[in-house]
Each structure stands twice: as structure tokens, then as C-alpha cells.
Amino acid sequence: MKTENERANPIGVFDSGVGGLTVVREIMRQLPGEKIIYFGDTARVPYGSKSKETITKYSRQIIRFLKTKNVKAIVIACNTASAYALEDIKNEIDIPIMGVIEPGARAAAMTTANKRIGIIGTEATIASGIYSEFIKKILTDAKVAGKACPLFVPLVEEGYTDDPVTTEIASRYLKDLKQENIDTLILGCTHYPLLRKTIADIMGSGVSLVNPAYETATQLREMLMKEGLMAEEKLDEESGKYEIFVSDTTKKFEDFARTILPSDFDSIRKINIEEY
Amino acid sequence: MKTENERANPIGVFDSGVGGLTVVREIMRQLPGEKIIYFGDTARVPYGSKSKETITKYSRQIIRFLKTKNVKAIVIACNTASAYALEDIKNEIDIPIMGVIEPGARAAAMTTANKRIGIIGTEATIASGIYSEFIKKILTDAKVAGKACPLFVPLVEEGYTDDPVTTEIASRYLKDLKQENIDTLILGCTHYPLLRKTIADIMGSGVSLVNPAYETATQLREMLMKEGLMAEEKLDEESGKYEIFVSDTTKKFEDFARTILPSDFDSIRKINIEEY
């Protein structure tokens, strides 16, 4: 068991932009006693089309920033950064760190009956093949098929979440996966749960959609318990419990944050991430 | 007239990503004697949804990098950076610098008959109102209407340049502009000329489409002449005439560069732009 001070320290969560707030929302629900420091890399968003080297460099900078805030653990709430950077970084830091891929893979492995699982995500996440790796550690004979859906993020950001154009594009992206006879589909990008209805309609009722955010919060709880790092559950609502930092200030981010988060947070602060 | 050495120095051109290569292509055609150093900020692309402060910081870093290559003049081949950063930066550097907005505005002002001009571009370019400012310096009684088209860049990057989905989205974006009775439409983002056919079909034959790239190369020639900086026209084809640098290496960038540029270039080199 760590000291009370350590246990009272915040959890650091980061993403390339706003999407990771869906994971924060889940952590707020499942771990109401925890303080959270969130960082959204809005000056360099998106990550999904960039290289492993660049994503790893950005992730290291963000972790250095979060550590200046005395975080006791870190959640990479971005599929692309989890896919490309987590493995290297995990060996470099002295506090517990986790991503969204392993929880998503575990949830899918627990959900599937026919062992045929689909994954949709950014180009980088799909190219990494990492969901398949983690799934096969649990279900060695699983058949896994992936498909990159690069237009989903811009469509969500344009507000076309329930729109015939999005349905048409989703139908194209999901066509091959439909033929794979999958019974489980991982929404492998934090923006995609906002397209859940469209995707569910296309895939049909025989396919369960898995959102890694829920399972991530559950595994975070397990990790904190194991490390003796859980905060007191009875922490009162207080100013400063949830802090949000970004690398660029945009109206869109603030609107999205206020829409998605159930609890209030202090004003969003901008920092120069290149300095870290 | 500057020294022969100075005149033989390259022109620096930059953009957030690949789009500025359409401007490079035009410079290659109109100024075949010039060497070019191109920088594409592929690690931080796109710029169109980011703040003025961030875009200006990125532009300053890129200019510092280009100056290490002894460029004799700089072209900001990005509408967003031209809109947000050029005015501040122009007062800070000791070599000639120009963007794509003023050339685009001039071309539109020369094209329109009814003095009603439309502009499409990124959210940042449209929010800046700068095209309107420049047009009204030439045509004080012009009526100018702008519309941000944030999905156009991702659609082009997905290869949906001639596609019913793109036609549907373009119809929505252009609906209001069609009602403004414009006779001239500026393609205010370097990706948009790749959607020229779709946009032309929607706007109809009564509307002329202006691509600032052509006029930018023409104004670059004027600027070099005025400053006594034109290279000798008879420069032989040689290795190293065209050099391309990026902040992140991706296959997509290289493919696009080889497709769009009429002349060959040495391998694309990656640099750490945050160091500048």
C-alpha cells in the first residue's frame, strides 16, 4: 500500500484530442473518488495518419508533462498512441501505465461466441496489428479482421453522426467485415462510439459492438487496487478535481468537453507541449 | 541586383502537408530556372482547425529551418498559414516572403464581372476574413461570401475526388454560395483544386473557379524581378535542384509528391521541426 498522499494524487489521461474524454467519462463513473488530469494534444491532432516514431515522441512529451503534475498512474486514452507508443514507454517509466487496446481486446474476447472479431480504427491502429496480437493471447484460435476508417473522425467532428452520407461511407468501410461472419466488432478509436447507431444498423443485431472505454476504466480500477493506489472513495466534490490541459485552444474542444463530461471542470488551460 | 550567389539560392516553400506541392508544381512550370526547398509539416498537419497562435508558432519554426538552407525568398503555400501568420512574420524577416491569399484575391478581383466573389477554405482561413480584406483593397465595392468546407481535405486524402459522397457533401457546403449570385469562386485551400470538377458541376458554368497557385507563381516571379533575385533561366537540370523535407515520413506523402510533381526530386528527408 502506498502512502495516503500518493493515493490522493491524480490519474493522468491523454489523447490526441477530444476523443479520450469518452474514457475520462467512464473513469469518472466507475472511479468517482479519483482526481483526473487530462491532456488533449489539439495542436498536433490527429495521430491516426502519422508514424510510430512521431506518435512515440509526442507520447513521451505528454508523459513528461503529466509527471510534472504528480500523477500516480497514466491511461493512454487513444488507440493510436496505445498501439504505437505504449510498449516502448512502459519500460521507461516508474508509475503504472495502461492503454485502451488490451482492455478492448479482452472485452472482445469475452464477448465473442464464434471467435470471429472485427476491429475498426485509424490507419495507424489497424496497420499495427496490435488488437489481433492481444486477442490471440487470450483466444489463440480467434480470427481477427481489421479495417481502417479514416473518414469517421472528420465526419464526427463535422457533426454528421446521424446522416445518410455517414451511412453510405460506413457501408463501404464495413462491407468486407460483414462478409467475415464476425459476431463482435471493436470500436477501436475513441470517436467511433459516437457513430454507434449507424455502425450497429449496418452490422445488424448479430454483431456486438465493443467500446474499449468501459473496460479500460474497469482495468484501471484493477491496476490501482493491485498497486495499492486507489483513492478514498469518499472524496468530496471539490474544485480542481478534474483538470484539463491542451496544446492548442479551440472553441470546438471546449464545447465537446462540456457536452461529453458529466462533471464540471476548471477552465481548460493551454501549455506548450514541445517544451517537455 | 543581388550577387550571382544570392540569385542562385533556392526558394523556400512550405505547407502543412502535401497540398503546397500544387504551388511548387506551378513554380516549376513558370520559373524553371529556380531551385526549390519544400517543407511539409506532416507531423502536425492539418492547420485548418488550429489557432492563430499555434499556426504562427509553427510557421516561425519552419521559416527558421528554411533559412538554414539559405533560401533567398519564401512562399507560404498554405492558405491557413498565409491567413494567420504572414502579416506578423513579414515584419520579422530580412528576405522577401509572400503567401497565397493576396495572389488568390487579385486573381479573383481580375476575374469577376459582377463583383460577387465566393471563397471556400478551412475553418481558420474563412474565420480570418482575410480574402475579403484583400479583395476589397482592389475592388472596394465587392461583395464577398465565405464558406468553410472541413470535410474536403479528408475526402481528397481518402481518394474520393470523383464520388457521389463528395458531390453530396459539396452540394451542402456550396448551397448558400449558390444563392449569393457569385460569378467567381476562390479555391482557398491547396487541396481543393483536386475537387475542381465536382465543384464546377455544382456551381455551374456561370461561375469561374480561381486556383491561387497559378497567380502565386506569377507574383513570385514579379517579386523576384523587383528584388533582383531571379535565377539564370538556363540553369541545367541537376541533382539537388528540388529538395523536399517533412516533419514526419509517411508513404502517402511520397506517393502524392511523385504523382503531382512533373520533375524528379531527391529522396524526401525528415527533420525534427520542434528544434527550430
Side-chain angles (χ1 to χ4, degrees):
Chain A
M1 184 70 99
K2 299 291 195 312
T3 68
E4 194 172 332
N5 266 353
E6 275 177 283
R7 283 180 280 135
N9 280 341
I11 294 160
V13 183
F14 75 90
D15 179 40
S16 59
V18 296
L21 291 172
T22 58
V23 177
V24 168
R25 182 172 54 183
E26 210 49 59
I27 298 172
M28 287 174 170
R29 283 186 187 148
Q30 293 190 37
L31 296 163
E34 300 293 342
K35 292 182 205 147
I36 300 172
I37 306 265
Y38 183 82
F39 178 79
D41 199 359
T42 47
R44 305 186 292 197
V45 69
Y47 284 2
S49 52
K50 290 162 192 170
S51 71
K52 180 178 163 86
E53 195 184 341
T54 291
I55 305 300
T56 306
K57 182 177 101 174
Y58 290 173
S59 301
R60 284 196 180 105
Q61 288 175 323
I62 295 167
I63 286 166
R64 281 193 285 268
F65 162 70
L66 289 173
K67 290 201 73 176
T68 67
K69 298 285 168 191
N70 291 318
V71 295
K72 63 182 176 185
I74 289 174
V75 177
I76 306 185
C78 168
N79 282 269
T80 304
S82 299
Y84 273 173
L86 177 59
E87 204 181 330
D88 286 349
I89 285 175
K90 179 162 79 172
N91 301 315
E92 299 166 7
I93 68 169
D94 54 359
I95 55 171
I97 183 166
M98 58 178 287
V100 289
I101 308 272
E102 198 183 341
R106 191 164 85 168
M110 291 186 301
T111 302
T112 185
N114 72 1
K115 298 185 182 174
R116 288 170 169 261
I117 297 169
I119 302 142
I120 51 176
T122 64
E123 289 165 289
T125 299
I126 298 305
S128 76
I130 192 171
Y131 264 111
S132 178
E133 249 175 64
F134 276 111
I135 291 167
K136 287 177 180 169
K137 277 186 197 166
I138 308 170
L139 283 179
T140 47
D141 55 343
K143 193 156 181 275
V144 182
K147 175 71 185 171
C149 305
L151 282 168
F152 278 179
V153 171
L155 287 166
V156 167
E157 302 220 321
E158 186 68 341
Y160 287 11
T161 46
D162 184 18
D163 192 292
V165 159
T166 305
T167 304
E168 166 60 24
I169 290 171
S171 301
R172 296 183 193 184
Y173 283 150
L174 300 173
K175 198 173 147 212
D176 292 347
L177 287 180
K178 272 182 78 96
Q179 288 168 353
E180 296 280 344
N181 190 30
I182 58 170
D183 70 353
T184 303
L185 178 64
I186 300 174
L187 307 178
C189 169
T190 49
H191 277 75
Y192 296 1
L194 297 163
L195 299 177
R196 176 181 273 274
K197 190 182 165 299
T198 302
I199 295 166
D201 286 349
I202 293 167
M203 296 309 293
S205 57
V207 177
S208 305
L209 304 187
V210 168
N211 174 3
Y214 180 85
E215 189 68 19
T216 298
T218 307
Q219 282 202 28
L220 171 63
R221 168 188 281 272
E222 287 169 19
M223 185 173 86
L224 295 177
M225 297 274 273
K226 195 179 129 215
E227 304 277 347
L229 279 171
M230 282 276 283
E232 301 297 321
E233 288 285 339
K234 58 187 190 302
L235 180 76
D236 296 328
E237 279 298 322
E238 58 178 56
S239 162
K241 186 175 173 192
Y242 301 129
E243 290 187 85
I244 299 184
F245 294 86
V246 291
S247 48
D248 192 21
T249 324
T250 58
K251 177 88 173 52
K252 209 177 221 176
F253 183 93
E254 184 153 356
D255 291 347
F256 192 84
R258 299 219 178 267
T259 309
I260 206 164
L261 294 180
S263 299
D264 209 11
F265 51 89
D266 296 341
S267 63
I268 295 170
R269 274 169 287 172
K270 181 179 155 181
I271 58 137
N272 181 2
I273 193 64
E274 292 180 6
E275 281 175 2
Y276 289 88
Chain B
M1 187 67 100
K2 298 292 195 312
T3 67
E4 194 172 330
N5 266 353
E6 277 177 284
R7 282 180 282 135
N9 280 340
I11 295 160
V13 182
F14 75 90
D15 179 39
S16 58
V18 296
L21 291 172
T22 58
V23 177
V24 168
R25 179 171 59 183
E26 209 49 59
I27 298 172
M28 286 174 170
R29 281 186 188 148
Q30 293 189 39
L31 296 162
E34 300 293 344
K35 291 182 205 146
I36 299 171
I37 306 265
Y38 182 82
F39 178 79
D41 198 0
T42 47
R44 304 185 293 197
V45 70
Y47 283 4
S49 52
K50 291 163 191 169
S51 72
K52 180 179 162 90
E53 195 184 341
T54 291
I55 304 300
T56 305
K57 182 177 99 174
Y58 290 173
S59 300
R60 284 195 179 107
Q61 288 174 323
I62 296 167
I63 286 167
R64 281 193 285 269
F65 162 71
L66 290 172
K67 290 202 74 178
T68 67
K69 298 285 167 191
N70 292 318
V71 296
K72 64 182 176 183
I74 288 174
V75 177
I76 306 184
C78 168
N79 281 269
T80 304
S82 299
Y84 272 173
L86 178 59
E87 204 180 330
D88 287 347
I89 285 175
K90 168 162 90 173
N91 301 315
E92 299 166 8
I93 67 169
D94 55 358
I95 56 172
I97 184 167
M98 60 178 286
V100 290
I101 307 272
E102 197 182 344
R106 192 163 83 168
M110 291 187 303
T111 303
T112 185
N114 72 1
K115 300 185 181 172
R116 287 169 172 263
I117 297 169
I119 303 141
I120 50 177
T122 63
E123 289 166 288
T125 299
I126 298 305
S128 76
I130 193 171
Y131 264 111
S132 176
E133 248 176 64
F134 276 111
I135 290 167
K136 286 178 179 169
K137 278 185 195 165
I138 308 170
L139 283 179
T140 47
D141 54 345
K143 191 154 182 276
V144 181
K147 176 72 186 172
C149 304
L151 283 168
F152 278 179
V153 170
L155 286 166
V156 166
E157 303 219 322
E158 186 68 343
Y160 287 10
T161 46
D162 185 19
D163 191 291
V165 159
T166 306
T167 304
E168 167 60 24
I169 290 172
S171 301
R172 296 184 193 183
Y173 283 150
L174 300 173
K175 197 174 147 212
D176 292 346
L177 288 179
K178 274 183 75 101
Q179 288 169 352
E180 296 279 344
N181 191 30
I182 58 170
D183 71 353
T184 303
L185 178 64
I186 300 174
L187 306 178
C189 170
T190 50
H191 276 76
Y192 295 1
L194 297 162
L195 299 176
R196 176 181 273 276
K197 191 182 163 299
T198 302
I199 296 167
D201 286 349
I202 293 167
M203 296 309 293
S205 58
V207 177
S208 305
L209 303 187
V210 168
N211 174 3
Y214 181 86
E215 189 69 19
T216 298
T218 308
Q219 282 201 29
L220 172 62
R221 167 187 283 272
E222 287 169 19
M223 185 174 84
L224 295 177
M225 296 276 271
K226 195 179 129 214
E227 304 278 345
L229 279 172
M230 283 277 282
E232 301 296 321
E233 288 284 340
K234 59 187 187 306
L235 181 75
D236 296 329
E237 278 299 322
E238 59 180 56
S239 163
K241 188 174 174 192
Y242 301 129
E243 289 185 86
I244 299 184
F245 295 85
V246 290
S247 48
D248 192 22
T249 323
T250 58
K251 177 87 175 51
K252 209 175 219 176
F253 183 93
E254 184 152 356
D255 291 347
F256 192 86
R258 301 222 177 262
T259 309
I260 206 165
L261 295 179
S263 299
D264 209 10
F265 52 89
D266 296 341
S267 64
I268 295 170
R269 273 169 288 173
K270 181 180 156 181
I271 58 139
N272 181 1
I273 193 63
E274 292 181 6
E275 281 176 2
Y276 290 88

